[in-house]
Amino acid sequence: MRSPAGTGARRWILFVLLALAPMWLIGTLGRGAWTPDEPREADIAWRMSVQSHWVLPQLADQPFLEKPPLSYWMSAEAMRLFGASVRAARVPNLVYAAITAVAIGTLGAAMDGAAAAIIAALVAASALTAFRVTMWLAPDACLLAGCAVSLLGAYFGYTAPPGRRKLYGYLLMHAGAAVGFMAKSAVGWVVPGLALLTVIAWERRWAELRRLELYAGFLLQAVVIGPWIHAVAQTAHGAESLRVLFWYNLVGRFTNIPAPAAYHYSTGHRNSFGKYFIELPVYLLPWTALAAAAAWRARKAVRLAAPIGTCWRFAVAASLPFLLLLSLAATARDIYAVPALLGVSLLVALHLSEAQRLSEGQQLP
């Protein structure tokens, strides 16, 4: 693992942000609303900006119980600052996009230096479906930023020696997971948690599960998430609202459960096993060929010893298990798979960095 401080961190971050800024600005501010979702999301954000009760977003004067409110809070504040428009509501997306690119780039830098940082950030930000999610007025852009930060913290925590550095890494993981949760519920936990558990099992480092540093961040999550859940419980229909948020809307998207007709989510966006893998080449455009080459190289690279092998195993763990889990769900949408593209971007970065060293005559492991 390389230290980001020694890889020209400021230079690559500036390069990435300047390179991606035109695409982000045009995608966020240079277009109208995409139907059918963005007009609805803009209306929810506008109502949030004028309502006095911010615990739950509202749609048509009724609580909107599909997602936690973080992204609506952000868009509501943007509307207060810049006016009540769809473009104003999308201004926070620029923040989410920058956080995602810098976090996944920092992870690439820690794995294999500045070149890997730039490649990982560019792929994560510009792959077709990831770019659409990042520019789209919906909670998914905020979720993606939280997942990127959480994966960065998970890697730092996992690879650091016991003590303060490991604690700080895992605290960052928990902070990102809390943001992801407040944007789109438990998916914010699943992405980093599944990646970390997979690499622990893969490398048989079971002692990592006994590290106090791994669990200290749950206090941070409780401080962030607990007051909101308590506030929801105190609303007029608090128990039912929590049931809709975390049972009908979450579990109900993975499997068919008894639910009122309005909350029978498993009947929409039908899934079939393998759907995500069939569509994955489209999600990754224009990087599909490079991603395929990186996946082919990963077949052998994951067998390498640490620390190089750990980088490859973590990148696979950050992508493949989540796609497999989504494949078992009752519902499917292309946007659900976007957090897995963060891991794919790391695979591409590792592969191209390795190819660069090979072209320079360096011997590969």
Side-chain angles (χ1 to χ4, degrees):
M1 182 182 75
R2 300 194 182 191
S3 170
T7 58
R10 292 181 181 178
R11 290 196 298 272
W12 76 254
I13 291 175
L14 182 62
F15 174 83
V16 163
L17 294 179
L18 289 177
L20 293 170
M23 183 177 71
W24 288 340
L25 290 170
I26 293 171
T28 302
L29 306 178
R31 62 177 177 83
W34 288 339
T35 57
D37 292 326
E38 283 199 314
R40 180 197 68 184
E41 297 292 315
D43 182 70
I44 296 172
W46 172 77
R47 289 176 183 274
M48 181 68 78
S49 72
V50 298
Q51 69 191 54
S52 58
H53 195 264
W54 275 43
V55 175
L56 291 170
Q58 293 184 1
L59 179 64
D61 295 323
Q62 296 296 321
F64 183 71
L65 300 173
E66 289 195 7
K67 307 292 183 296
L70 178 57
S71 65
Y72 300 112
W73 291 343
M74 296 288 289
S75 291
E77 284 297 333
M79 283 184 159
R80 287 183 171 184
L81 288 172
F82 304 112
S85 70
V86 178
R87 287 180 175 85
R90 282 197 296 258
V91 168
N93 286 53
L94 296 171
V95 178
Y96 308 146
I99 290 174
T100 301
V102 171
I104 210 68
T106 302
L107 182 44
M111 287 180 168
D112 207 5
I118 293 172
I119 295 165
L122 292 179
V123 174
S126 62
L128 177 62
T129 308
F131 172 67
R132 181 163 67 86
V133 162
T134 303
M135 299 300 102
W136 187 37
L137 181 58
D140 301 85
C142 187
L143 167 69
L144 189 63
C147 289
V149 170
S150 196
L151 287 172
L152 173 64
Y155 180 81
F156 278 173
Y158 181 71
T159 57
R164 185 176 298 178
R165 288 177 57 195
K166 185 177 287 290
L167 173 63
Y168 289 165
Y170 282 138
L171 284 176
L172 185 63
M173 178 189 74
H174 282 282
V179 169
F181 182 95
M182 290 300 294
K184 205 171 180 181
S185 194
V187 180
W189 291 343
V190 171
V191 174
L194 195 58
L196 182 61
L197 289 174
T198 298
V199 78
I200 286 173
W202 203 336
E203 298 192 344
R204 296 181 176 84
R205 284 181 51 181
W206 304 112
E208 195 70 18
L209 295 175
R210 298 193 294 271
R211 302 286 185 193
L212 292 179
E213 299 95 331
L214 176 60
Y215 302 102
F218 279 115
L219 178 60
L220 173 63
Q221 293 215 48
V223 170
V224 173
I225 299 170
W228 173 69
I229 292 179
H230 176 74
V232 173
Q234 299 304 306
T235 59
H237 304 284
E240 180 63 17
S241 295
L242 291 173
R243 187 176 299 111
V244 174
L245 281 163
F246 301 125
W247 185 249
Y248 299 151
N249 186 51
L250 186 61
V251 179
R253 293 184 188 272
F254 273 84
T255 186
N256 186 11
I257 60 174
Y263 303 122
H264 210 272
Y265 293 107
S266 62
T267 59
H269 306 294
R270 293 284 189 175
N271 191 17
S272 58
F273 191 81
K275 174 182 172 66
Y276 286 106
F277 293 95
I278 293 171
E279 297 178 355
L280 187 60
V282 177
Y283 303 164
L284 289 165
L285 289 171
W287 307 103
T288 306
L290 286 175
W296 184 260
R297 169 56 184 156
R299 292 168 57 251
K300 293 184 177 179
V302 294
R303 303 173 189 171
L304 298 173
I308 297 174
T310 297
C311 298
W312 285 91
R313 288 186 285 272
F314 188 89
V316 171
S319 52
L320 183 58
F322 184 62
L323 284 174
L324 289 171
L325 179 64
L326 289 178
S327 296
L328 301 175
T331 61
R333 293 183 70 186
D334 56 353
I335 60 172
Y336 295 167
V338 167
L341 303 190
L342 299 174
V344 177
S345 72
L346 294 171
L347 288 173
V348 173
L350 291 170
H351 175 60
L352 291 183
S353 292
E354 185 180 79
Q356 180 187 28
R357 289 195 296 275
L358 183 62
S359 68
E360 295 172 350
Q362 298 182 33
Q363 186 175 0
L364 298 182

